Amino acid sequence: MSVGWISRVSALFAAIYLPSALAFQPSADYGQYKTDNLYNCSGASSTSALTATNSADTLPEIQPLSSQGWEQWDFFAHGTFPMVLRWSQGDQSQADATPSSGKIEIAILEVNGTNVLTTVTGPLTYTDGDVKQVSIGNNTFKWDSDSLWYNLTLSADGYTLVLNTYSALLDTFHPDVDQYSGLLSSHEGPALYGSVPVTRGQCSGYLATPDQQNITLDGLVFLKHTFSEQALPSYVTKLSSAIIWGYSTRYYDSHLFYQVEQADGIVHEAAYLSRAIAGSPVKSDFPSTWAMYAVTDDPLYTLVIDPVGGTIVATLAGCSVTNNTSYLFSVSVGSAIAEFTDLGGGKTTYYNFTQGFTLAPYNGSLVNGTIAGMYQVYEAPVHNGS
């Protein structure tokens, strides 16, 4: 594979039909037509008008009793321990898998010198209301109707995990390929959808171990939601995403991206950047939150992933609000922190960042910041004759 290669497409045209007939949850934003790609550089605002929160978008969009389809909720926590928690129904790489079977794949690293790697299975159920909830057995994650908080409880192999997350940036992010909310692919067929209900959550909680230790947890949490009516290999060969938190003593930026490589050679990219100014009180309306960019297939955003050198460099163009100074995120991808293999052979690998930096405009000048985050890659199985 050549170094630093990346394809990009602009939005080809306003699609004349939506490539899916999913029965979305009532009041969900998925599939709504948008008139632009949400590029914005208008400065500070109390809450962003770019991508308004909508708690219905976290509910299962593939009904558990459907005859086909799959859905995933990926939690990544950075703090006391690196954690990956993937909730799913169905199988993203097996065409005949039905969503009735739920699964939670758990990776909690470096707990008293031990990596906790385990899986919980069972039927997935959910409830709607003022408090919304997805459950697999006695394991739950739940959230309020305003998407301000997300709470998660897990029990497996003698461990009990409780995470209470406050959504510190009051935004969600919906890519919009062909200008449809949440759409990640332009393939005329099943369609791949996704969103990020929590772009930066501040979490606290505890991990109870089999030897009766109660370990206090804190840090940052990111939640990503993806789904489709059909398995990916027939139309998507690779799906990458990352969360990069860049922070200094003056600001806290959350930058995330999706990159979707279709079987027909088309590559889509979508990215989001939002800022919280240091010093904002936790659990408030975050009046100093800046919502700067939300783009899909836009030349203002440049992403270069070097799989050989193990680096990712992303830039977002500046504008008058930033004195025309661009944002730069440069990271080195470290070793795999978790790897999950689907029934159909698709592989999802999660990597940490070993080092990196961000250069970002603040008060008319560049400020250098520290990096944290996670990179996730799904690779479709190779079928004979493909």
Side-chain angles (χ1 to χ4, degrees):
M1 185 176 293
S2 61
V3 174
W5 71 272
I6 273 302
S7 299
R8 174 175 282 102
V9 294
S10 299
L12 298 177
F13 49 82
I16 59 174
Y17 86 108
L18 186 61
S20 176
L22 273 170
F24 298 114
Q25 290 281 355
S27 78
D29 286 331
Y30 296 111
Q32 294 183 14
Y33 184 74
K34 296 181 178 180
T35 57
D36 56 43
N37 68 355
L38 301 180
Y39 168 69
N40 187 314
C41 195
S42 58
S45 59
S46 58
T47 56
S48 171
L50 290 180
T51 48
T53 55
N54 189 338
S55 59
D57 286 348
T58 313
L59 286 166
E61 303 299 329
I62 302 293
Q63 301 305 304
L65 296 180
S66 299
S67 60
Q68 60 184 2
W70 61 270
E71 193 156 14
Q72 291 180 351
W73 297 262
D74 287 278
F75 292 84
F76 172 73
H78 168 78
T80 308
F81 305 115
M83 283 188 279
V84 177
L85 311 169
R86 183 169 79 168
W87 295 58
S88 62
Q89 58 169 338
D91 190 288
Q92 64 183 338
S93 62
Q94 184 167 322
D96 58 354
T98 60
S100 59
S101 298
K103 181 166 61 173
I104 310 169
E105 291 156 297
I106 302 166
I108 309 174
L109 305 187
E110 302 166 12
V111 180
N112 297 329
T114 299
N115 291 338
V116 181
L117 304 171
T118 189
T119 300
V120 176
T121 59
L124 183 143
T125 60
Y126 71 95
T127 56
D128 197 356
D130 290 338
V131 175
K132 304 175 189 301
Q133 177 172 300
V134 170
S135 303
I136 297 177
N138 62 349
N139 305 285
T140 64
F141 75 87
K142 59 181 69 176
W143 60 101
D144 68 317
S145 58
D146 293 324
S147 297
L148 295 179
W149 56 263
Y150 285 74
N151 295 342
L152 182 148
T153 302
L154 284 176
S155 295
D157 291 354
Y159 291 88
T160 298
L161 172 68
V162 174
L163 280 182
N164 303 311
T165 297
Y166 182 78
S167 186
L169 292 174
L170 303 182
D171 270 341
T172 61
F173 173 51
H174 288 67
D176 60 339
V177 170
D178 290 342
Q179 299 179 329
Y180 284 106
S181 183
L183 191 60
L184 281 165
S185 67
S186 58
H187 186 274
E188 295 185 2
L192 174 64
Y193 286 90
S195 68
V196 181
V198 177
T199 57
R200 182 170 74 87
Q202 294 181 333
C203 70
S204 61
Y206 66 89
L207 177 68
T209 67
D211 59 1
Q212 309 304 309
Q213 290 188 67
N214 255 29
I215 303 172
T216 300
L217 305 176
D218 60 30
L220 299 176
V221 167
F222 164 77
L223 167 61
K224 183 166 64 69
H225 181 198
T226 50
F227 58 94
S228 178
E229 284 188 308
Q230 292 185 24
L232 289 179
S234 62
Y235 66 106
V236 169
T237 57
K238 190 173 183 179
L239 171 61
S240 305
S241 63
I243 173 67
I244 305 175
W245 292 299
Y247 55 95
S248 73
T249 57
R250 305 174 188 178
Y251 65 83
Y252 217 128
D253 288 342
S254 292
H255 171 229
L256 56 96
F257 68 77
Y258 281 98
Q259 186 185 83
V260 179
E261 299 181 21
Q262 296 183 175
D264 57 10
I266 292 176
V267 177
H268 293 288
E269 292 174 357
Y272 167 93
L273 171 65
S274 194
R275 166 170 290 182
I277 303 300
S280 298
V282 177
K283 298 187 177 181
S284 74
D285 289 335
F286 280 80
S288 59
T289 296
W290 285 19
M292 301 299 289
Y293 295 89
V295 297
T296 301
D297 294 334
D298 195 304
L300 291 166
Y301 178 72
T302 301
L303 175 65
V304 178
I305 300 174
D306 177 359
V308 177
T311 59
I312 300 173
V313 177
T315 59
L316 298 107
C319 62
S320 60
V321 172
T322 65
N323 273 6
N324 296 311
T325 304
S326 297
Y327 288 81
L328 168 67
F329 298 86
S330 177
V331 297
S332 295
V333 179
S335 57
I337 60 176
E339 184 176 285
F340 304 143
T341 301
D342 301 324
L343 293 173
K347 183 175 69 175
T348 304
T349 309
Y350 300 80
Y351 301 89
N352 63 5
F353 297 137
T354 57
Q355 58 185 352
F357 65 92
T358 175
L359 289 174
Y362 183 78
N363 280 351
S365 62
L366 275 176
V367 177
N368 196 343
T370 308
I371 286 290
M374 180 271 296
Y375 176 50
Q376 173 185 352
V377 182
Y378 164 84
E379 295 177 277
V382 177
H383 298 298
N384 291 333
S386 62

